Amino acid sequence: NLSTHVEDVCNTVRCEQLDKFILVGHSYGGMVITGVAERLADKITAIAYVDAFLPENGKCLFDYTAGDNNQRLLEAGERGGIAIPSPAQSMIGLSEVEKSLRAPMPIGTLVEKLKLGGKAASIANRLYIYAAKNPGPTFRQFYDKVRAEKGWKVAEAACGHGVHREKPEE
């Protein structure tokens, strides 16, 4: 579930003895880095959301996505796991190593509510990068929200959702 992913990143920070680092999350990774930032805010110098979910307290990923798709994913999850996006779409442009690392995404990552107490929001350097050519409306809501808030830097990338693959130099 989401807590497992947050704990995995926190454990990596501890094991690697990281301090004063930049935390970056893409897509669902925004849920994870927000949870990590809540626990390790004092170690993070900057946090960057790359076309990512930017959750509020008590919300899960499904609180931000379309109901019809949520139902399809829930049904798939009941059959033992899901892949997001569908495997055929998610393999385009990936190396053989990247393809070998793909795995079904457990339904718990999508339905677990994130509990926040304000520490994540205390990080001074916050950036949101919006993929302007992403056809879905999901991430525009977060970009629009932070553009209107003090303390955020924002940027647009002229590409689809796979910013890290399409515009790695940017």
Side-chain angles (χ1 to χ4, degrees):
N1 59 21
L2 176 58
S3 292
T4 303
H5 292 159
V6 170
E7 187 65 25
D8 284 349
V9 174
C10 289
N11 284 338
T12 298
V13 170
R14 284 187 203 98
C15 288
E16 297 295 328
Q17 300 177 348
L18 301 177
D19 193 38
K20 306 302 178 205
F21 60 92
I22 299 169
L23 186 60
V24 180
H26 169 257
S27 196
Y28 160 75
M31 302 291 293
V32 178
I33 66 170
T34 303
V36 171
E38 188 66 24
R39 292 172 58 183
L40 303 176
D42 59 320
K43 295 182 174 291
I44 300 167
T45 58
I47 190 165
Y49 293 80
V50 181
D51 214 32
F53 289 91
L54 181 56
E56 300 164 291
N57 183 45
K59 301 272 184 148
C60 71
L61 188 140
F62 271 7
D63 290 325
Y64 299 105
T65 56
D68 290 346
N69 192 48
N70 291 356
Q71 185 58 40
R72 180 186 63 78
L73 294 173
L74 280 170
E75 290 168 4
E78 290 169 2
R79 292 189 301 272
I82 57 175
I84 298 174
S86 64
Q89 291 173 319
S90 65
M91 296 298 183
I92 297 171
L94 297 183
S95 70
E96 290 305 313
V97 171
E98 290 170 319
K99 288 177 186 178
S100 73
L101 296 173
R102 298 292 296 196
M105 190 155 174
I107 196 70
T109 61
L110 308 176
V111 298
E112 182 181 352
K113 307 276 185 191
L114 192 59
K115 293 174 181 56
L116 303 173
K119 289 182 183 176
S122 73
I123 297 170
N125 297 309
R126 295 177 287 166
L127 169 66
Y128 195 95
I129 300 171
Y130 174 64
K133 293 184 180 177
N134 184 355
T138 301
F139 301 104
R140 182 71 194 212
Q141 64 187 304
F142 306 114
Y143 176 66
D144 288 341
K145 179 181 183 231
V146 298
R147 278 191 330 180
E149 289 183 18
K150 287 185 179 180
W152 280 91
K153 293 179 183 172
V154 296
E156 284 190 31
C159 63
H161 186 56
V163 179
H164 52 294
R165 286 192 302 270
E166 295 177 52
K167 299 283 186 178
E169 69 285 348
E170 291 182 28

